[in-house]
Every structure is written in structure tokens, then in C-alpha cells.
């Protein structure tokens, strides 16, 4: 079946540090890939997505590139802020079973001033 | 405002007492889904619905029921709750671009079963 493996957390960084959260996947079909963010006490919201190989999703200074050859979708940001403290989830949906959505375990990021 | 609304947001109940968590979306989405979030386990899909009167099991459907009689509503029913169903539950919806469309989530319902 499909699966998503995320870098284990929690991750603690100082403000303005560089962020990478690794995400790799296995999928039986052709997946679309997503990063969702969950701020404390809230539901998940889409951060960025990519729907085909070599696409780069970007939003709010975050970026991730769909790498089919390495089955990866790593999340990066050049300079994190305290307001980026949240839980980040990598997820996929495939064309062969569009009703199913598979999430990673989530990575908790804390940014200290 | 486009949104997914869940109720109740918080609930404490006892083992065996039937309960329903409602979910409603105002975006005319065909697809709706339920998830539970547990520490260290990420989000796991319980049930999903591709359209009215069409529902399918996700990865952890045991102990849950759903129905989709109207496009906007997708209630989650726990016929006989047990303590292992204590969790944070999320409802989500998505438009017709099924595998490429983003999920829109509700704010969550925290359920405690004593």
C-alpha cells in the first residue's frame, strides 16, 4: 500500500535558521504530494502541493520539489520565524485510488527567538 | 466564508453511549472524509465519501459508521464508543479534482471516552 515517511521530530531551531523536513513516499499509482501545516489548536491547512514530477510547490517562503527518482518531497525554508512553529504533515493522494489519502506522522517544529 | 464545520468541538462521554459528530461544508465539494489524529501516529483515515450515497472504508473504520445523504453533510457515528476511540477527529472535504485537489479541514473534535 501507500506510505509516507517523515523525518522524526521534534525539531527546534533558532529564528532565521534554515529548515529542512525530509519526506519520502511509496505509492502504487502516480501520486500528488502535499505539505499541510497545523498551528496549535487548529485544523490542518494546505501549505503547498505538487502534482507531477519535477514540479516545485511554494508558499510563504516554503518550498518543496517533487522528485520521482528519489521518491521524495522535502520541505525547505531559508529563514524560519517564530510564527512558523507548528506541526508539518507530508501527504499523498494517488490517481489509482483518489479516495484514499495517506499522511506522515507529522514533524513538530519549534522556532526560538 | 468557505469552511468545514464540525460539532461538537469537545466531548466527554462514557463507554457505550452512542454519539454523532457532525460535519458540514459550504463549498459544494463532492468528496468528504474523516480522520483521527493520535500522538505519534499522524492522521489515519476512517471513512471517505466520493459523492452522495457513496462511502468507503479508510484504514481504521472499525467501530465507526458514516452516512452521506446530502452533499454538504457527512456525520461520523460511534454506535458504542470505547476508550480506544479517545482521539482528535478531523473532517475534510475536497473538490472534484480528486487526487490533485487539496483537502479543506475542519477545526477538529476532541473526544474523550471514559
Amino acid at each position: 500500500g501507500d506510505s509516507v515517511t517523515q523525518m522524526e521530530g521534534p525539531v527546534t531551531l533558532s529564528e532565521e535558521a534554515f529548515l529542512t523536513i525530509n519526506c519520502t513516499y511509496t505509492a502504487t499509482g502516480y501520486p500528488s504530494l502535499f505539505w499541510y501545516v497545523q498551528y496549535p489548536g487548529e485544523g490542518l491547512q494546505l501549505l503547498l502541493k505538487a502534482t507531477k514530477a519535477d514540479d516545485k510547490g511554494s508558499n510563504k517562503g516554503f518550498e518543496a520539489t517533487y522528485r520521482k527518482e528519489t521518491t521524495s518531497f522535502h520541505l525547505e525554508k531559508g529563514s524560519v520565524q517564530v510564527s512558523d512553529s507548528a506541526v508539518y504533515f507530508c501527504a499523498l493522494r494517488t490517481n489509482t485510488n483518489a479516495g484514499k489519502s495517506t499522511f506522515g506522522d507529522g514533524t513538530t517544529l519549534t522556532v526560538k527567538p | 466564508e468557505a469552511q468545514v464545520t464540525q460539532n461538537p468541538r469537545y466531548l466527554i462521554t462514557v463507554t457505550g453511549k452512542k454519539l454523532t459528530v457532525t460535519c458540514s461544508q459550504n463549498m459544494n465539494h463532492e468528496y468528504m472524509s474523516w480522520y483521527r489524529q493520535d500522538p505519534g501516529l499522524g492522521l489515519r483515515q476512517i471513512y471517505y465519501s466520493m459523492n452522495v450515497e457513496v462511502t468507503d472504508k479508510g484504514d481504521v473504520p472499525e467501530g465507526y459508521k458514516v452516512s452521506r445523504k446530502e452533499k454538504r453533510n457527512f456525520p461520523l457515528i460511534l454506535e458504542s464508543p470505547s476508550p480506544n476511540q479517545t482521539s482528535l477527529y478531523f473532517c475534510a472535504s475536497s473538490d472534484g479534482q480528486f487526487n490533485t485537489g487539496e483537502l479543506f479541514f475542519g477545526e477538529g473534535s476532541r473526544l474523550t471516552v471514559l
Side-chain angles (χ1 to χ4, degrees):
Chain A
D2 302 335
S3 69
V4 174
T5 302
Q6 272 183 246
M7 168 178 157
E8 288 191 20
V11 174
T12 302
L13 295 173
S14 298
E15 207 164 23
E16 299 184 3
F18 185 85
L19 168 71
T20 300
I21 301 178
N22 290 336
C23 171
T24 58
Y25 67 88
T26 59
T28 52
Y30 197 104
S32 294
L33 301 172
F34 305 83
W35 277 102
Y36 289 89
V37 60
Q38 183 182 29
Y39 298 105
E42 299 183 10
L44 283 73
Q45 57 187 272
L46 180 73
L47 181 59
L48 53 85
K49 73 176 186 181
T51 59
K52 59 183 189 295
D54 299 325
D55 270 1
K56 178 187 280 188
S58 61
N59 186 25
K60 299 181 182 179
F62 291 88
E63 293 182 340
T65 301
Y66 187 140
R67 302 283 187 206
K68 190 177 179 185
E69 63 276 14
T70 54
T71 61
S72 65
F73 192 55
H74 304 320
L75 182 68
E76 296 182 337
K77 186 175 185 183
S79 177
V80 294
Q81 306 299 312
V82 172
S83 57
D84 293 327
S85 298
V87 182
Y88 293 81
F89 292 91
C90 186
L92 67 83
R93 300 175 76 181
T94 70
N95 59 335
T96 53
N97 193 349
K100 297 291 291 290
S101 44
T102 303
F103 287 79
D105 290 347
T107 301
T108 301
L109 170 66
T110 301
V111 180
K112 297 192 171 181
Chain B
E1 180 190 354
Q3 59 186 5
V4 178
T5 304
Q6 297 179 224
N7 280 295
R9 295 287 314 280
Y10 302 91
L11 179 63
I12 301 174
T13 190
V14 295
T15 298
K17 186 176 181 181
K18 180 179 178 179
L19 68 92
T20 299
V21 185
T22 63
C23 175
S24 180
Q25 51 94 4
N26 63 0
M27 294 169 279
N28 202 38
H29 286 165
E30 293 176 338
Y31 176 88
M32 297 185 75
S33 185
W34 276 102
Y35 304 85
R36 57 178 291 172
Q37 182 179 16
D38 301 291
L41 296 177
L43 265 74
R44 294 179 292 167
Q45 192 172 27
I46 303 171
Y47 270 95
Y48 63 92
S49 170
M50 302 289 267
N51 213 328
V52 175
E53 301 293 359
V54 179
T55 63
D56 258 308
K57 295 178 181 178
D59 297 317
V60 288
E62 296 79 17
Y64 304 95
K65 284 176 58 177
V66 292
S67 68
R68 187 91 183 275
K69 294 184 171 59
E70 308 165 278
K71 199 172 188 178
R72 64 183 294 126
N73 296 323
F74 190 45
L76 180 69
I77 303 158
L78 286 73
E79 294 271 3
S80 182
S82 62
N84 64 12
Q85 292 178 298
T86 292
S87 188
L88 179 58
Y89 292 88
F90 287 102
C91 180
S93 70
S94 182
D95 68 17
Q97 303 169 39
F98 291 125
N99 76 305
T100 59
E102 69 176 282
L103 293 166
F104 291 83
F105 285 85
E107 292 187 319
S109 297
R110 186 168 292 281
L111 171 65
T112 301
V113 183
L114 301 175

